[in-house]
Amino acid sequence: MKCEGINVINKGTIREYACGNTSVARLLNLSEGEAILSIDVVAPWNLPIDQSLRVGDVQLIYHRDVINGLEWEFVGYDDGSRRELISVRISLVGVVEDSFVKELIINVLGAYVKDP
């Protein structure tokens, strides 16, 4: 997915990031100096599965990795006929600038979401 410009919407302890009119990510402050960046994606799942959780007829699937010193969690679902990546969560510590968050979002969207 190509996203040339990302807008920031401040909602108190949550900062929402939008590509045009489409919300693509949220930065949730957990405590002083700790935050989770959750980026929405829809892409084929091609990662190892570290953990799974059955919810009704589907399984939520997870893969965790450390990339460039940051903890990443990939979240997907498996409905028996297909597996898809639906979210990438990145743990952030310290002061996080919007420019860095936007760069992460653009990199994740470019790497995992393909334009039709």
Side-chain angles (χ1 to χ4, degrees):
M1 174 179 184
K2 291 264 187 199
C3 188
E4 300 300 324
I6 295 180
N7 301 313
V8 181
I9 304 160
N10 194 350
K11 296 183 174 183
T13 59
I14 298 174
R15 294 176 68 79
E16 185 173 4
Y17 296 82
C19 180
N21 293 328
T22 304
S23 175
V24 293
R26 279 140 313 283
L27 182 68
L28 297 89
N29 291 310
L30 303 177
S31 64
E32 190 64 35
E34 285 186 290
I36 296 287
L37 175 61
S38 179
I39 306 168
D40 301 331
V41 297
V42 176
W45 181 274
N46 58 6
L47 301 162
I49 297 172
D50 295 331
Q51 186 177 4
S52 67
L53 173 67
R54 181 157 294 282
V55 180
D57 293 339
V58 301
Q59 277 192 45
L60 293 176
I61 50 180
Y62 301 89
H63 173 69
R64 290 176 185 82
D65 205 345
V66 175
I67 301 172
N68 294 328
L70 299 174
E71 293 180 19
W72 291 51
E73 180 180 55
F74 298 86
V75 182
Y77 78 93
D78 181 344
D79 67 2
S81 64
R82 68 177 178 210
R83 287 183 177 168
E84 289 192 337
L85 176 65
I86 58 174
S87 181
V88 176
R89 299 175 186 158
I90 305 170
S91 297
L92 303 170
V93 293
V95 176
V96 180
E97 299 293 330
D98 275 329
S99 59
F100 180 66
V101 172
K102 289 177 181 182
E103 182 180 341
L104 285 171
I105 293 167
I106 288 169
N107 288 341
V108 166
L109 294 177
Y112 296 102
V113 180
K114 306 301 178 210
D115 288 326

